[in-house]
Amino acid sequence: MAWTRKILRVDLTNGACKTEPLNMEWAQQYLGQRGLASKYFVSEVDPKVDPLSPANKLIMATGPLTGTPASTGGRYSVITKGALTGAIACSNSGGFFGAELKFAGWDMIIFEGKSPKPVYLSIENDKAELKDAAHLWGQTVWQTEAIIKKTHQDPQVRVSSIGRSGENGVLYAGIINDLHRAAGRSGVGAVMGSKNLKAVAVRGTLGVGGLRDPKAFLGAAAAAKKVLADNAVTGQGLPTYGTQVLMNVINEMGALPTRNHRDVQFEDARKISAEAMAEKRPDGKSHLVTNAACFGCTIACGRVSRIDEKHFSVVNKPEYWGASGGLEYEAAWALGAANGVGDLEALQFANLICNEDGFDPISFGATVGAAMELYELGILTKEQIGLEAPFGSAKALCELAQMTARGEGFGKDLGMGSARLCAKYGKPELSMSVKKQEFPAYDSRGIQGMGLTYATSNRGACHLRSYTVASEVLGIPVKTDPLTTDGKADLVKAFQDATSVFDSAGVCIFTSFAWSLADLQPQLDAACEGDWTMEKLAEVGERIYNMERLFNNAAGFTAKDDDLPPRLKTEPAKTGPAKGLVSGIDKMRPEYYKVRGWDANGVPTQETLDRLGL
Amino acid sequence: MQKSLRIDANKCTGCLQCEMACSYENYGVFNIAKSRIKVFIFEHEGRKVPYTCTQCAEAWCLNACPVDAIRVDAATGAKVVNEATCVGCKVCTIACPFGTVNYVADTGKVQKCDLCGGDPACAAACPTGAITYIDADWTGLDKMRAWAGKTDTATRASA
């Protein structure tokens, strides 16, 4: 069955694990994963809850295509109220953990309460129990996985865990599975840490069977795989260069935010690009070792790299000399361009630290960028930071990553994220964030649609809620002009609603470079009970987006929070095709509210709610 | 012409589509725990290696079986477990030098690759051509071609 129809509810306060039937009526309205787990979340949790209190809940959810041979069908999401943002959080991860959870027979796990002591959840098919994690607390993500595999005497167990950053309350700590794959954003790992939950270890041997129409499903999955293989982005660009294919492209467009968004082009972009990763270094080896796939993925965009053993960051640290995950574009940008560092090996080292100790390289890198600007302005001193931290300092980047991982010194300040950091030092306007979550790697002066995307993303600034870069840069599904605000309200809404469906299905959003909903629909319809038409999917997507919005509104967010920092509205881009432009967010926002069927304050009208059955 | 599975680990991305296809072919469920082909991911080297039975000509599993439950499929050359005969004694799992025969607790029998009767599902499912099903006598052909391509024929061209 596409849904196992089983939920595991874990009460961490009293240590009880209970099985519940999945609400199939909700499954028909919210599909799975992001949508369905969010429905459970908003139905059970007070929007005003403190994210780090026991009253917050945390849900790990698979989708109906998770664990099937649909390409990329291995995803799972973590839904909670974000520690960084205070908004509904939904962080999606690949790797192999999600499929294993499904193979063990679970659609989702709902964690509630707070354990009196560190524990981890061990799942072996229908057997689930909380185990003591005293020996795991204080360990990194990588050590935690190794120890669990050893104590379980099972190399096939899949582990999702937090590192020291999640234990120490780094507000953008994520949850890492399979060593390098992250439910990375909004601080879902900080929430997990606040519950004294260190890890989830899963072994599933039941598999996924009984799809509605297996023959039709395999046919639809095969056809959709062919679409991916034949597409220039998913068939060639991503497997060859990874997401890093974008570094030079976005820089040329004048949309590569540089030095905390002071600039829109980075003079060293080429040095940290996909092309540079493939070139021979002085040691005769290339940085890039190979590409890699997550479960079921026929794109295989993942990067696996090996750091230069002679690089200052890893001299005498052989534990970092092996091949490891990264760099992906967003991390390379945040650790690199965002703070002016053009040293590829240093970026990979900082990225390894983020993976090893479980924190989001986007928010971390952007927060370093903000700290470097405060340092250059003389607001932060060498004494306060513990080292010299001008823009471009690879040494500072590497040191600060380790300090943040360990929760030492200025690392504690960096762990708050840029919004709280900049507010603490009296310059709140220097935080490049929306709803306290840092921007990813696209400047909204050079790609106007992304400004609206960030401002109205339900989880704070994020590129993965409506990746209009696809349209504005790559021409998918149609080319739109990145420098104009015209039509962007409609574009963003369309992307947001479609993305909500992809995120609820169990597949990766990267399929949407090649797939439209029309490619996903036949797979869902053949796999899932019920009648999954295009019309129904479009409605499900819009319903999910509005449901998340209602939660955020009830949590206290208003139209004022759908805004960009003043820098992007008042300081024009200095170079490149967008030279002289600022973000047109103030023009796009009211247009977007209208397209959404929301009032001037960004609240869905009764008519909209009625139409969507909310 | 007999065919053989050929595995080019350099092309493997570690997606496990082969494992899902294998389990579906044999058990009707997508369940990598029941796959007869396994992909090993060596994290620190960045290598992914699919591994399954090589169908030894002189098969140790077959010779070790006390009840003759493993027979040769004359058409494909595969060494095939007859579940009706297998008593689950696991002697073949000890005899196999490569570990590619394994016990299945659910059925009480052993399982191994049987080449799907001549149309291996793993090869059909592999998106990158890491697993192919080719002429058993010419599994080295691609390698030969690659080396042949490096042969210096400049003298002849200039003659």
Side-chain angles (χ1 to χ4, degrees):
Chain A
M1 290 177 293
W3 297 279
T4 68
R5 302 185 175 217
K6 260 172 58 188
I7 290 180
L8 178 61
R9 188 178 292 274
V10 180
D11 184 337
L12 291 159
T13 305
N14 63 24
C17 298
K18 280 191 313 189
T19 305
E20 285 176 20
L22 185 72
N23 185 326
M24 288 307 291
E25 199 181 315
W26 285 357
Q28 289 295 324
Q29 292 164 352
Y30 296 93
L31 192 53
Q33 202 176 348
R34 174 178 168 185
L36 189 52
S38 295
K39 176 63 181 170
Y40 272 89
F41 187 78
V42 304
S43 303
E44 297 185 9
V45 176
D46 176 359
K48 300 273 189 202
V49 76
D50 172 357
L52 297 176
S53 73
N56 194 8
K57 298 190 185 188
L58 183 142
I59 304 180
M60 293 182 170
T62 62
L65 297 183
T66 306
T68 75
S71 187
T72 76
R75 311 294 298 190
Y76 93 104
S77 290
V78 179
I79 287 83
T80 187
K81 184 170 173 178
L84 182 68
T85 56
I88 193 164
C90 171
S91 297
N92 183 311
S93 184
F96 301 88
F97 176 85
E100 197 75 17
L101 183 59
K102 190 78 170 282
F103 289 156
W106 302 101
D107 288 316
M108 63 174 90
I109 313 170
I110 302 177
F111 293 101
E112 48 194 39
K114 176 186 177 176
S115 171
K117 61 184 177 75
V119 290
Y120 75 102
L121 177 68
S122 174
I123 298 175
E124 196 184 308
N125 294 336
D126 46 6
K127 201 177 99 191
E129 58 177 327
L130 289 169
K131 294 190 170 184
D132 182 62
H135 63 303
L136 298 174
W137 208 253
Q139 303 285 357
T140 68
V141 165
W142 295 353
Q143 288 164 334
T144 298
E145 177 164 328
I147 293 168
I148 288 175
K149 284 183 167 171
K150 198 172 170 201
T151 49
H152 286 223
Q153 296 189 50
D154 185 357
Q156 299 192 77
V157 70
R158 301 289 186 186
V159 179
S160 203
S161 69
I162 56 168
R164 291 177 294 180
S165 70
E167 298 175 10
N168 295 337
V170 169
L171 291 178
Y172 45 82
I175 302 172
I176 312 283
N177 58 287
D178 305 291
L179 304 176
H180 321 291
R181 291 286 141 196
R185 302 221 71 190
S186 314
V188 297
V191 174
M192 187 159 155
S194 76
K195 298 187 171 306
N196 269 332
L197 177 64
K198 178 67 179 176
V200 180
V202 187
R203 189 70 205 290
T205 62
L206 304 173
V208 171
L211 300 184
R212 189 177 70 75
D213 184 343
K215 207 174 157 199
F217 172 74
L218 286 172
K225 283 174 190 165
K226 189 166 183 313
V227 172
L228 294 176
D230 292 345
N231 181 279
V233 176
T234 51
Q236 291 160 29
L238 284 174
T240 308
Y241 296 111
T243 51
Q244 271 274 64
V245 70
L246 288 167
M247 187 64 74
N248 288 321
V249 176
I250 302 297
N251 192 48
E252 287 297 311
M253 291 191 62
L256 190 71
T258 300
R259 288 175 284 269
N260 206 34
H261 287 62
R262 280 181 169 181
D263 300 299
V264 295
Q265 290 184 308
F266 183 36
E267 62 281 2
D268 283 340
R270 213 200 161 280
K271 290 188 191 167
I272 61 170
S273 67
E275 290 80 354
M277 286 172 71
E279 279 165 10
K280 288 250 190 301
R281 291 185 300 228
D283 68 354
K285 296 172 187 161
S286 64
H287 187 79
L288 181 71
V289 176
T290 182
N291 66 330
C294 295
F295 182 92
C297 175
T298 57
I299 303 171
C301 74
R303 300 293 93 184
V304 178
S305 300
R306 194 181 281 121
I307 213 162
D308 184 346
E309 295 171 14
K310 301 267 191 323
H311 189 261
F312 75 82
S313 60
V314 295
V315 170
N316 301 323
K317 291 180 184 167
E319 65 271 30
Y320 297 111
W321 292 355
S324 196
L327 287 161
E328 315 297 345
Y329 171 63
E330 304 297 333
W333 163 78
L335 301 167
N339 42 49
V341 177
D343 178 343
L344 185 67
E345 306 297 326
L347 306 193
Q348 174 65 352
F349 177 74
N351 187 60
L352 293 185
I353 298 299
C354 289
N355 284 343
E356 184 183 31
D357 260 308
F359 52 104
D360 172 17
I362 302 180
S363 281
F364 166 72
T367 302
V368 170
M372 285 179 167
E373 180 157 10
L374 292 170
Y375 176 83
E376 298 226 336
L377 292 172
I379 295 166
L380 278 171
T381 63
K382 183 186 167 190
E383 287 65 38
Q384 283 169 303
I385 299 176
L387 44 83
E388 288 177 1
F391 279 124
S393 172
K395 189 163 178 301
L397 172 73
C398 295
E399 279 300 316
L400 293 172
Q402 294 174 95
M403 286 159 69
T404 303
R406 299 184 198 124
E408 289 173 1
F410 190 69
K412 282 209 175 71
D413 273 4
L414 287 175
M416 299 189 297
S418 67
R420 292 168 177 87
L421 178 87
C422 292
K424 176 175 174 179
Y425 293 100
K427 285 279 181 186
E429 70 277 14
L430 290 184
S431 168
M432 295 299 118
S433 61
V434 174
K435 299 180 179 72
K436 296 193 174 71
Q437 177 157 286
E438 288 72 16
F439 292 121
Y442 314 88
D443 197 292
S444 44
R445 289 164 291 197
I447 307 176
Q448 291 286 332
M450 289 309 282
L452 185 59
T453 287
Y454 298 152
T456 62
S457 158
N458 286 329
R459 69 166 183 174
C462 171
H463 56 299
L464 294 170
R465 286 299 172 273
S466 64
Y467 194 69
T468 59
V469 172
S471 168
E472 298 179 271
V473 180
L474 304 170
I476 302 166
V478 286
K479 184 77 174 78
T480 51
D481 181 355
L483 301 179
T484 173
T485 59
D486 295 346
K488 296 299 160 63
D490 288 287
L491 188 72
V492 166
K493 177 185 179 291
F495 269 76
Q496 285 173 337
D497 291 350
T499 299
S500 300
V501 176
F502 278 83
D503 287 348
S504 302
V507 298
C508 176
I509 190 61
F510 285 7
T511 56
S512 68
F513 284 116
W515 292 354
S516 68
L517 274 185
D519 297 288
L520 185 59
Q521 183 269 337
Q523 301 182 79
L524 284 169
D525 191 49
C528 302
E529 296 92 330
D531 192 15
W532 292 89
T533 62
M534 287 291 286
E535 294 71 29
K536 178 168 167 175
L537 286 176
E539 191 182 288
V540 165
E542 190 175 2
R543 182 181 297 128
I544 291 168
Y545 211 83
N546 278 273
M547 169 179 64
E548 294 172 341
R549 176 78 182 189
L550 289 174
F551 180 89
N552 285 349
N553 285 348
F557 289 95
T558 66
K560 283 198 199 74
D561 300 297
D562 295 342
D563 204 359
L564 302 178
R567 172 165 287 171
L568 299 174
K569 301 204 293 181
T570 59
E571 297 178 24
K574 294 173 194 157
T575 60
K579 188 175 175 181
L581 282 184
V582 294
S583 168
I585 182 62
D586 291 331
K587 178 167 178 294
M588 292 185 283
R589 191 187 310 102
E591 293 170 2
Y592 170 84
Y593 286 172
K594 207 170 158 199
V595 170
R596 272 269 170 229
W598 297 352
D599 67 19
N601 297 315
V603 178
T605 61
Q606 193 58 47
E607 191 190 340
T608 301
L609 297 179
D610 290 345
R611 181 168 57 80
L612 296 169
L614 282 164
Chain B
M1 180 179 76
Q2 218 158 67
K3 287 189 159 190
S4 170
L5 280 177
R6 182 172 183 281
I7 290 171
D8 182 350
N10 284 324
K11 291 183 180 167
C12 178
T13 62
C15 74
L16 310 191
Q17 285 283 349
C18 55
E19 297 195 21
M20 278 188 280
C22 179
S23 60
Y24 188 74
E25 175 76 19
N26 292 298
Y27 296 94
V29 287
F30 306 114
N31 185 1
I32 59 172
K34 291 237 164 68
S35 175
R36 298 163 183 188
I37 184 166
K38 292 300 288 180
V39 178
F40 294 88
I41 299 178
F42 299 92
E43 294 283 352
H44 292 286
E45 301 160 47
R47 290 198 301 140
K48 288 87 58 179
V49 184
Y51 204 81
T52 190
C53 174
T54 62
Q55 314 294 349
C56 305
E58 192 171 319
W60 298 25
C61 60
L62 179 152
N63 289 328
C65 180
V67 294
D68 284 342
I70 302 179
R71 299 284 179 88
V72 182
D73 179 333
T76 63
K79 313 303 176 289
V80 180
V81 178
N82 181 355
E83 282 207 6
T85 319
C86 175
V87 294
C89 74
K90 313 178 194 72
V91 170
C92 57
T93 69
I94 300 163
C96 174
F98 307 108
T100 54
V101 195
N102 284 284
Y103 180 65
V104 181
D106 285 355
T107 59
K109 314 287 181 184
V110 297
Q111 69 165 357
K112 67 178 289 300
C113 171
D114 60 5
L115 296 176
C116 299
D119 185 13
C122 56
C126 180
T128 63
I131 306 168
T132 48
Y133 191 54
I134 60 168
D135 185 344
D137 291 350
W138 286 103
T139 52
L141 197 66
D142 276 355
K143 238 183 241 177
M144 284 172 77
R145 183 184 292 112
W147 282 104
K150 292 178 188 170
T151 302
D152 182 5
T153 50
T155 44
R156 190 173 161 199
S158 61

